[in-house]
Amino acid sequence: MTGPIPLTMTAPRRGKPPRHLADLSTDELRAAVAELGEQEFRARQLQTHYFTHLETDPAAMTDLPTRSRERLTEALLPSLLEPVRTLTADRGTTVKTLWRLHDGVKVESVLMRYPDRATLCVSSQAGCGMACPFCATGQLGLTRNLSAGEIVEQVRQAARAMVRGEIAGGPGRLSNLVFMGMGEPLANYKAVLAAVRRFVGPQPDGFGVSARNVTVSTVGLVPAIDRLAGEGLPVTLALSLHAPDDELRSELVPINTRWTVDEALDAARRYFEATGRRVSIEYALIRDMNDHAWRADLLARKLNERGRGWVHVNPIPLNPTPGSIWTASDPGVEAEFVTRLRVAGIPTTIRDTRGSDIDGACGQLAAEEAS
Ligand code: SAH
């Protein structure tokens, strides 16, 4: 097409979310509080309500004068996420929440409770621009990036549900965070990093969770992996590989045409060297697509070529997505794939998959409303 693009063809304009306490570092928050004509120590009181008590209701902030409470919460704790619907599975220990953002855009997060931990799978973008054909989110295209506040609010609401005993199993603590919901976290680098800093910041600057309990999962945006390696944050990196050869990976993970298997693996190895954190290789086993024994052998060779003890592989049986012709590998084929990696000395564990009956499992998040 020549000439200017008609306005009707451009993507709908989505609004920037209002400023929120969780977008700001402690220094920025102090400045914002001062700008509102309040004393700077109010910043710390607000942070304590938010990060320690997980509270945003001004009525509960009895250590603040009534007028300050209203002014501060209105300016710095606007509502960013409204729950639209929750679905539960696994006897109430898996909870998927559909959220509506301030501009009507929808995203999902999934809370998974285990005997020894509770993990929240957060979205970093509404939709995703990476277009992986086996992933439901990838079929949506990218609507917009989430702000740090919108990511942190998913965390706060889950942490509060845990503390209040709203999840089956009684009161508990949110202990782990994985960026495996909707979106490519490293394509929304700034907001994701700010959100991670709020998660791991010591209370009351953040939720005070260990960086070791955070996993950032990526299709392999090499410059962003290197940048993350330099942040001094020992978060776990997961690389969504899904194939050890460029020919197939370019089909399954289209960004592979920009950064190849070898380039992505080299970046993953550099990440390990910089952080000491063992990298996870994600591998969705798709029947007759990428589950061949020779591909397991090639994967093991490529990982071993880059050293020992720096990586483990997490195969996951493909979760079905609407309209896809692909399906999970047969159990025997899956077992053979795992055995070959293990025999080659690569630690390999099949990833537990939760919530597939509520379309809440990996690759199934599409933020659709119940029809
Ligand atoms: N964009 C990031 C994070 C989101 S997806 C990434 O790609 O890593 C989290 C994980 O779920 C990724 O490893 C992704 O490849 C995987 N996944 C996507 N669709 C899937 C499906 N249908 N079945 C199983 N895993 C899937």
Side-chain angles (χ1 to χ4, degrees):
M1 184 189 294
T2 54
I5 299 169
L7 266 181
T8 49
M9 281 185 66
T10 57
R13 207 180 142 67
R14 302 296 190 177
K16 203 175 157 204
R19 180 178 66 165
H20 189 280
L21 171 150
D23 294 314
L24 307 175
S25 68
T26 297
D27 285 346
E28 289 167 342
L29 180 63
R30 273 206 211 100
V33 165
E35 254 171 51
L36 292 165
E38 295 284 339
Q39 288 170 291
E40 283 193 10
F41 72 90
R42 302 277 178 224
R44 180 130 294 227
Q45 289 177 307
L46 271 186
Q47 283 182 313
T48 304
H49 285 297
Y50 187 80
F51 291 112
T52 306
H53 305 309
L54 310 170
E55 189 59 76
T56 56
D57 179 4
M61 302 182 183
T62 49
D63 55 341
L64 291 159
T66 318
R67 211 165 320 127
S68 305
R69 252 187 248 179
E70 271 150 26
R71 188 180 303 146
L72 289 168
T73 51
E74 223 167 80
L76 294 163
L77 291 171
S79 164
L80 297 180
L81 309 179
E82 292 295 336
V84 177
R85 183 184 45 162
T86 61
L87 291 176
T88 60
D90 306 307
R91 280 185 243 96
T93 57
T94 300
V95 181
K96 178 171 90 161
T97 308
L98 174 68
W99 304 103
R100 185 185 298 113
L101 310 181
H102 80 102
D103 54 357
V105 168
K106 296 194 188 72
V107 296
E108 293 178 318
S109 56
V110 186
L111 179 59
M112 292 158 284
R113 184 171 201 172
Y114 301 89
D116 59 333
R117 66 186 195 281
T119 301
L120 182 70
C121 179
V122 288
S123 291
S124 57
Q125 299 181 311
C128 184
M130 295 299 128
C132 303
F134 57 91
C135 174
T137 313
Q139 308 319 297
L140 302 174
L142 177 64
T143 302
R144 71 165 168 87
N145 280 334
L146 301 195
S147 65
E150 288 169 329
I151 299 169
V152 174
E153 269 291 282
Q154 296 171 56
V155 177
R156 183 190 66 90
Q157 303 234 23
R160 195 177 52 164
M162 283 295 297
V163 166
R164 291 185 171 181
E166 290 167 10
I167 311 300
R173 250 177 21 89
L174 179 68
S175 58
N176 292 67
L177 181 63
V178 297
F179 283 86
M180 292 190 184
M182 301 172 81
E184 167 50 44
L186 294 187
N188 184 16
Y189 191 91
K190 235 181 113 198
V192 165
L193 245 282
V196 171
R197 292 199 187 281
R198 298 288 96 73
F199 193 59
V200 307
Q203 287 194 2
D205 299 317
F207 296 113
V209 172
S210 164
R212 292 167 184 276
N213 294 356
V214 177
T215 299
V216 174
S217 180
T218 178
V219 289
L221 307 183
V222 166
I225 293 174
D226 286 328
R227 189 171 164 197
L228 187 64
E231 298 283 356
L233 273 173
V235 300
T236 299
L237 179 75
L239 172 64
S240 297
L241 198 70
H242 306 307
D245 53 303
D246 286 320
E247 196 185 345
L248 178 57
R249 189 167 191 261
S250 293
E251 189 177 333
L252 295 178
V253 184
I255 200 71
N256 192 71
T257 55
R258 180 69 185 79
W259 292 286
T260 63
V261 169
D262 283 334
E263 287 168 334
L265 290 177
D266 286 343
R269 170 71 208 190
R270 289 194 295 275
Y271 188 85
F272 166 75
E273 273 159 30
T275 62
R277 301 292 297 152
R278 203 162 70 155
V279 173
S280 295
I281 301 291
E282 311 294 296
Y283 202 108
L285 284 166
I286 312 175
R287 185 188 294 172
D288 296 333
M289 195 64 188
N290 63 354
D291 58 0
H292 314 90
W294 71 265
R295 284 200 159 95
D297 295 342
L298 179 60
L299 175 60
R301 184 159 63 71
K302 291 205 165 195
L303 297 179
N304 281 331
E305 268 172 7
R306 290 171 170 83
R308 294 271 168 173
W310 69 280
V311 71
H312 64 117
V313 177
N314 262 172
I316 174 174
L318 184 82
N319 291 308
T321 58
S324 169
I325 48 163
W326 290 331
T327 172
S329 303
D330 289 330
V333 173
E334 174 186 301
E336 175 68 12
F337 197 91
V338 170
T339 301
R340 284 187 178 247
L341 287 166
R342 287 193 183 143
V343 165
I346 307 287
T348 305
T349 37
I350 293 282
R351 175 133 55 97
D352 168 50
T353 180
R354 284 271 193 117
S356 55
D357 45 345
I358 53 170
D359 280 348
C362 294
Q364 294 186 316
L365 301 187
E368 280 158 13
E369 281 203 64
S371 45

